[in-house]
Amino acid sequence: MHAQLLPVLGAQRAGTATAQFLKIGVGARATAMGDAFVAVANDASALYWNPAGITQFQTNEIIFSHTSWFLDIQHQFIGAVYHLSLDDAIGVSVTSLHMDDMQVTTEFAPQGTGNYFSFGDLAAGLTYSRKLTPQFSFGATVRYVQETMDVVKMRGVVIDFGTYYWTGLGTSRFSAVVTNFGNEMSPSGSITLYGGETISKFQEFSPPTNFKFGFAIDPIKDETNLLTTAIQLNHPNDNSENISLGAEYGWRNTLFLRGGYKLNVEDQSFTVGGGLATTISGITLNVDYGYAAYANLGGVHRISMNVKL
């Protein structure tokens, strides 16, 4: 027997929240840093990680992100950030999770009945952020969520709140973020069981709300080298508390190497990745790759492209 840094408290809540696709990280840069990104969040992927982050850069940006999830499931994200002024920014984003149609099977037709059903998730968000002082920013996202399970749909609205604060001590900053906060949701529609019974009332489930506290600092920063390190505490409503650690090294703001590690997260451990930035006709293009290792399910590959206008 030995003591744990973080006891496995809250694991009994697993499976109590819906819209699990909202927990899939966006952007190869952030996920390669072990998801320790809420206190970094200085590109368009902040639309997902921390809405206050979209005022931490001055360029207008578009991000495309693709994740090859488990079992041929595909996860896509597209977002855009536009700066209204030096202190105000807005953004829009769309998230999609989809897979090929699956065969309908029954007890008496385990190989399939010849019919197929579909499953897919969709979310669309609108983000606003304002820099209240040179040190402190606040942001919020309102997101419409829809899950489609054959003839049954689940719809709802969730909200993200984020803060971003530069402490004034070197390059240190911290953030506090609440994601996917909202009312309970239940499916709408009706299904007919094999015996002919029709069910149209379903149990309600909470969205996957997560409280995140992050801290980041750049221990090395000069004209050639930039090293960013980050630590993040996560408190989900449907699992145990956990810690994310991440680091990013950039050479001449052109070549990037990243790594991360997760503590107290079942089946997950290290992440790695890298990126390349180039400028063409005044437009900066960042292409990133990230890999996340899972002990039993294999690895997850992500690629993303960030266009800075």
Side-chain angles (χ1 to χ4, degrees):
M1 297 294 292
H2 62 278
Q4 289 181 275
L5 177 63
L6 285 177
V8 185
L9 300 176
Q12 68 274 12
R13 301 194 301 266
T16 60
T18 187
Q20 291 291 301
F21 78 103
L22 296 175
K23 297 163 63 175
I24 300 176
V26 165
R29 180 190 177 201
T31 55
M33 294 179 65
D35 294 349
F37 203 69
V38 299
V40 180
N42 55 2
D43 62 22
S45 67
L47 292 167
Y48 173 85
W49 297 101
N50 181 357
I54 66 172
T55 54
Q56 301 306 308
F57 54 94
Q58 293 302 318
T59 54
N60 298 321
E61 297 188 9
I62 302 173
I63 184 173
F64 306 90
S65 176
H66 170 78
T67 302
S68 294
W69 203 238
F70 307 114
L71 301 175
D72 296 325
I73 299 174
Q74 307 300 316
H75 180 273
Q76 321 283 354
F77 178 90
I78 181 172
V81 175
Y82 178 77
H83 291 267
L84 302 172
S85 68
L86 293 177
D87 297 326
D88 298 85
I90 59 173
V92 293
S93 58
V94 176
T95 306
S96 171
L97 183 141
H98 57 90
M99 61 186 301
D100 293 338
D101 290 350
M102 293 178 284
Q103 276 197 338
V104 176
T105 61
T106 67
E107 180 181 358
F108 300 102
Q111 303 303 317
T113 64
N115 297 321
Y116 290 80
F117 72 96
S118 61
F119 172 86
D121 297 323
L122 179 68
L126 177 63
T127 302
Y128 172 76
S129 178
R130 180 172 178 81
K131 186 177 291 186
L132 300 178
T133 71
Q135 291 77 34
F136 180 77
S137 300
F138 171 83
T141 297
V142 178
R143 185 178 295 109
Y144 169 79
V145 179
Q146 176 178 293
E147 287 197 310
T148 300
M149 298 160 281
D150 194 16
V151 297
V152 176
K153 292 183 181 290
M154 183 182 297
R155 302 180 179 92
V157 175
V158 296
I159 301 175
D160 297 349
F161 298 99
T163 60
Y164 203 110
Y165 180 69
W166 293 85
T167 68
L169 300 175
T171 59
S172 63
R173 62 271 198 194
F174 71 85
S175 295
V177 178
V178 180
T179 59
N180 305 320
F181 177 80
N183 292 328
E184 292 187 340
M185 295 180 281
S186 63
S188 61
S190 62
I191 59 174
T192 302
L193 302 182
Y194 182 75
E197 179 184 0
T198 299
I199 298 177
S200 58
K201 292 185 178 180
F202 303 91
Q203 181 180 351
E204 292 185 335
F205 295 91
S206 300
T209 305
N210 199 344
F211 298 87
K212 305 176 182 180
F213 302 91
F215 176 83
I217 192 170
D218 305 327
I220 300 175
K221 185 177 183 180
D222 55 41
E223 293 182 356
T224 302
N225 305 287
L226 175 61
L227 176 64
T228 300
T229 59
I231 183 172
Q232 183 174 305
L233 173 65
N234 306 295
H235 179 85
N237 68 339
D238 62 347
N239 217 308
S240 305
E241 292 76 14
N242 59 84
I243 291 177
S244 299
L245 305 171
E248 175 187 63
Y249 169 73
W251 181 76
R252 295 188 180 275
N253 203 31
T254 300
L255 181 64
F256 301 90
L257 298 175
R258 306 178 181 105
Y261 196 84
K262 296 183 179 181
L263 300 172
N264 207 46
V265 180
E266 185 177 1
D267 198 49
Q268 300 184 48
S269 56
F270 72 91
T271 58
V272 294
L276 183 67
T278 185
T279 300
I280 304 173
S281 300
I283 297 176
T284 300
L285 178 65
N286 289 72
V287 179
D288 299 301
Y289 167 79
Y291 174 83
Y294 288 77
N296 299 308
L297 297 174
V300 170
H301 302 272
R302 289 180 175 86
I303 58 172
S304 61
M305 181 173 63
N306 198 4
V307 182
K308 301 180 180 181
L309 307 175

